């Protein structure tokens, strides 16, 4: 019985595989588009806020906050699979398929964004502006090292794929698994905040991620 479940399970989650493969091949972006657009994104943030938001957030940089934020950042890799796994276990094929479709769209559109608007993000482009190193008491450093391995292309700031994917996950959690929605909202809110606090994203990246999530949620039902 267990062996019989492996092929349909693998087939259901197989669309995730090309996403991972493509992401890890995006190291060619500097050759495709050699001009990093961090200066533009920084200007947009400053036009909106008159400051660099991630630099401004340094006042809240304390070890235990950094610890929570760095661990919460990993929710991007967990919550979508929690949702999809729950829907698959419930046998809700329609809800599972539309959720997968929206998440796939989010990633593929984000990849296009990385190629059109390559940007390293604040942690590199604004490195000289920071006065505090983000350190945590226990897990922050190993989690940061893990993220550096998982997100090795380094030009994946705009749009924030993390924001888009997590918002899509929360939307479908409310729609299909309401019992999990409150927990998802709390974790997702912290995760989005962590992208700014940890200097991975500009605010305009996050705003673009919100718009991307909305676009994917509109398109996904049309592709079913």
């Amino acid at each position: 019985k267990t062996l019989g479940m492996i092929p349909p399970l693998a087939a259901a989650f197989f669309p995730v595989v090309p996403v991972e493969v493509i992401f890890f091949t995006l190291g060619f972006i500097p050759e495709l588009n050699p001009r990093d657009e961090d200066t533009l994104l920084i200007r947009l943030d400053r036009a909106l806020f008159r400051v660099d938001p991630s630099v401004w957030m340094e006042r809240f940089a304390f070890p235990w906050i950094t610890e929570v934020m760095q661990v919460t950042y990993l929710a991007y890799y967990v919550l979508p699979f929690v949702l999809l796994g729950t829907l698959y276990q419930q046998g809700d094929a329609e809800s599972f398929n539309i959720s997968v479709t929206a998440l796939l769209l989010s990633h593929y559109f984000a990849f296009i964004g990385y190629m059109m608007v390559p940007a390293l993000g604040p942690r590199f482009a604004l490195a000289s502006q920071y006065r505090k190193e983000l350190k945590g008491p226990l897990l922050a450093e190993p989690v940061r090292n893990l993220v550096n391995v998982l997100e090795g292309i380094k030009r994946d700031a705009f749009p924030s794929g993390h924001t888009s994917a997590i918002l899509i996950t929360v939307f479908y959690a409310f729609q299909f698994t309401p019992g999990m929605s409150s927990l998802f909202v709390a974790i997702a809110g912290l995760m989005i905040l962590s992208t700014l606090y940890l200097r991975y994203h500009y605010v305009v990246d996050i705003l673009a991620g919100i718009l991307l999530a909305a676009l994917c949620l509109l398109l996904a039902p049309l592709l079913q």
Side-chain angles (χ1 to χ4, degrees), residues 29 32-33 35 37 109-119 155 158:
I29 288 178
L32 176 70
N33 189 353
R35 178 181 173 181
E37 297 292 354
F109 281 136
F111 295 163
I112 294 171
Y114 303 158
M115 290 183 274
M116 294 180 63
V117 189
R155 281 172 174 81
F158 185 91

Side-chain angles (χ1 to χ4, degrees), residues 82-83 86-87 90 92 95 99 169-186:
V82 172
L83 173 68
T86 302
L87 295 176
Q90 291 174 350
D92 190 345
S95 300
S99 300
T169 301
V170 168
F171 178 86
Y172 286 130
F174 268 99
Q175 192 167 356
F176 302 135
T177 59
M180 302 164 60
S181 59
S182 297
L183 178 61
F184 273 41
V185 167

Side-chain angles (χ1 to χ4, degrees), residues 25 32 44 84 101 105 107 121 141 145 152 157-158 162 175 184 192:
T25 62
L32 176 70
L44 290 173
L84 295 178
T101 300
L105 286 172
H107 285 85
E141 189 64 26
N145 292 337
F158 185 91
H162 282 63
Q175 192 167 356
F184 273 41
I192 293 172

